[in-house]
């Protein structure tokens, strides 16, 4: 194989696929990036058997062929080369010679045919949306997945298409995040659970431009994201996702309309007095026209009042401040509506249009 590429194209290709390189494996081939120069295209592939990424890069093919190179070493070499054209040449013993200007590296590769290809995905069920919408919908829900592998389904997000509407749901036992998006076009209904790790990597790769599209295909075992000469294939999490509709009540005893930015800044200030390990709740006292927020810790105490519109009963309730802040940071509305049932029941933050719903469980406190 012999190819010539710009350094910038190599760096871009490596940075995309290296997100799927395995760092915990007994198979050395999975620590590699496969470089293939065939049929007029140069393709980079990485695959850790859960997540696989393939991307096409620009360049000239002088001689066709393929080789698997250690991802970490190849990536470091490419990054540190001068900003110029790079030639990658291999011989029959799977040695690669990487040259750029006066720099010349000789590294040992592995046979490309040994590399596990990405699974072939039947393109039957699919949806298409803008990269911006996908990036946003993940950003607005991913913070409430669980990092506890004992509850495997909670480490992923539910992607459900029903009546041409995409719902994305995440939950970790303390809170639920739901975002809904109307799709353009007619699509078959489906329901799959996508690993959080896959979605976190997708967010890093996609452009987030409204004009750029991403097509998503699902089978019973895999999901494929296709965009900008790149394919990302991931295994799905198996099992029946939690029935969240039973947890979503529209009943409430107290409704509060509050300025989002003011509320977020106020909780942020109060959080200065607590450390993550403290588990100190923030106490919210709701009375007519006013929400008083207070916190007391080893370091001191703080109180602050915010003007609100209120319907229903007065209420005293405690929350983990981080859970409130996570939600407020991803809502773009100037004013938000918060619904409470009682001090022991979850609160709901949702908009009238139904594009988002966030449920947060309260925390017990002594007062």
């Amino acid at each position: 194989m012999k190819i010539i590429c710009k350094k910038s194209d190599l760096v871009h290709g490596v940075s995309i696929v290296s997100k799927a390189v395995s760092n915990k494996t007994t198979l050395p081939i999975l620590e590699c990036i496969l470089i293939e120069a065939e049929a007029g295209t140069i393709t980079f592939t990485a695959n850790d058997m859960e997540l696989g990424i393939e991307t096409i890069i620009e360049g000239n093919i002088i001689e066709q062929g393929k080789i698997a190179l250690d991802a970490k070493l190849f990536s470091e070499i490419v990054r540190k080369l001068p900003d110029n054209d790079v030639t990658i040449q291999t011989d029959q013993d799977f040695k690669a010679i990487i040259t750029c200007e006066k720099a010349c590296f000789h590294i040992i590769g592995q046979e490309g045919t040994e590399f596990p290809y990405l699974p072939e995905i039947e393109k039957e069920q699919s949806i298409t949306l803008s990269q911006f919408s996908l990036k946003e919908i993940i950003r607005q829900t991913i913070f409430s997945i669980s990092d506890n592998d004992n509850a495997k389904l909670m480490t992923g997000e539910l992607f459900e298409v029903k009546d041409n509407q995409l719902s994305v749901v995440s939950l970790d036992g303390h809170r639920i995040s739901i975002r809904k998006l109307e799709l353009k076009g007619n699509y078959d209904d489906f329901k799959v659970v996508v690993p959080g790790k896959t979605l976190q990597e997708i967010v890093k790769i996609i452009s987030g431009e409204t004009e750029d599209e991403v097509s998503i295909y699902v089978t019973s075992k895999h999901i494929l994201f296709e965009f900008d000469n790149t394919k990302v294939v991931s295994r799905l999490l198996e099992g029946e996702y939690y029935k969240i509709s039973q947890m979503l009540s529209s009943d409430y005893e107290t409704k509060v309309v509050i300025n989002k930015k003011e509320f977020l800044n106020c909780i942020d200030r109060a959080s200065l007095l607590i450390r993550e390990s403290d588990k100190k709740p923030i106490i919210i006292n709701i009375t007519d026209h006013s929400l008083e927020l207070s916190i007391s810790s080893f370091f001191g105490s703080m109180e602050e009042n915010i003007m609100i519109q209120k319907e229903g009963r007065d209420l005293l309730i405690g929350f983990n401040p981080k859970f409130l802040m996570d939600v407020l940071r991803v809502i773009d509305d100037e004013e938000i509506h918060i619904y409470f049932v009682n001090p022991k029941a979850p609160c709901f933050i949702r908009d009238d249009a139904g594009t988002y719903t966030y449920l947060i469980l309260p925390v017990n406190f002594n007062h």
Side-chain angles (χ1 to χ4, degrees), residues 147-163:
D147 53 9
N148 179 356
D149 271 353
N150 295 333
K152 202 71 184 163
L153 282 168
M154 284 192 193
T155 65
E157 292 201 336
L158 176 72
F159 272 55
E160 181 174 14
V161 171
K162 198 170 183 189
D163 303 329

Side-chain angles (χ1 to χ4, degrees), residues 206-268:
I206 57 178
S207 71
E209 296 297 320
T210 42
E211 304 82 61
D212 297 342
E213 289 194 328
V214 53
S215 295
I216 303 173
Y217 303 90
V218 296
T219 66
S220 58
K221 293 266 193 299
H222 293 94
I223 186 163
L224 162 66
F225 298 85
E226 263 192 5
F227 53 92
D228 306 339
N229 289 332
T230 299
K231 290 180 185 176
V232 179
V233 180
S234 168
R235 276 181 190 266
L236 295 168
L237 294 177
E238 289 179 23
E240 186 68 34
Y241 201 72
Y242 307 91
K243 291 194 165 44
I244 56 161
S245 52
Q246 298 157 357
M247 309 172 210
L248 303 175
S249 159
S250 53
D251 296 339
Y252 63 93
E253 295 287 323
T254 310
K255 177 186 174 184
V256 166
V257 179
I258 190 167
N259 179 290
K260 185 211 84 164
K261 196 171 175 187
E262 211 180 326
F263 192 30
L264 175 58
N265 289 344
C266 182
I267 301 168
D268 202 12

Side-chain angles (χ1 to χ4, degrees), residues 84-258:
N84 212 324
D85 285 356
V86 180
T87 303
I88 302 173
Q89 194 167 0
T90 64
D91 63 17
Q92 66 275 21
D93 299 326
F94 310 110
K95 288 195 186 77
I97 304 163
I98 302 167
T99 49
C100 179
E101 291 183 8
K102 293 174 183 162
C104 180
F105 284 89
H106 292 250
I107 61 172
I108 306 291
Q110 294 187 56
E111 195 173 344
T113 49
E114 299 293 310
F115 195 86
Y117 279 96
L118 303 192
E120 277 295 319
I121 303 298
E122 292 285 323
K123 293 185 175 179
E124 283 174 9
Q125 284 196 305
S126 77
I127 59 169
T128 300
L129 63 158
S130 79
Q131 293 190 27
F132 172 79
S133 298
L134 181 62
K135 199 165 192 154
E136 282 295 282
I137 211 166
I138 296 170
R139 181 181 70 84
Q140 292 160 339
T141 50
I142 196 81
F143 57 85
S144 57
I145 61 168
S146 171
D147 53 9
N148 179 356
D149 271 353
N150 295 333
K152 202 71 184 163
L153 282 168
M154 284 192 193
T155 65
E157 292 201 336
L158 176 72
F159 272 55
E160 181 174 14
V161 171
K162 198 170 183 189
D163 303 329
N164 300 319
Q165 185 184 56
L166 170 67
S167 300
V168 175
V169 181
S170 64
L171 60 105
D172 64 3
H174 303 285
R175 52 199 172 152
I176 302 176
S177 301
I178 305 165
R179 280 275 172 171
K180 296 193 171 177
L181 178 73
E182 292 298 329
L183 297 169
K184 297 183 176 83
N186 287 317
Y187 297 105
D188 293 338
D189 294 357
F190 68 77
K191 198 193 271 196
V192 293
V193 185
V194 188
K197 177 187 176 239
T198 299
L199 297 173
Q200 280 158 341
E201 299 307 352
I202 287 277
V203 165
K204 291 174 198 164
I205 307 172
I206 57 178
S207 71
E209 296 297 320
T210 42
E211 304 82 61
D212 297 342
E213 289 194 328
V214 53
S215 295
I216 303 173
Y217 303 90
V218 296
T219 66
S220 58
K221 293 266 193 299
H222 293 94
I223 186 163
L224 162 66
F225 298 85
E226 263 192 5
F227 53 92
D228 306 339
N229 289 332
T230 299
K231 290 180 185 176
V232 179
V233 180
S234 168
R235 276 181 190 266
L236 295 168
L237 294 177
E238 289 179 23
E240 186 68 34
Y241 201 72
Y242 307 91
K243 291 194 165 44
I244 56 161
S245 52
Q246 298 157 357
M247 309 172 210
L248 303 175
S249 159
S250 53
D251 296 339
Y252 63 93
E253 295 287 323
T254 310
K255 177 186 174 184
V256 166
V257 179
I258 190 167

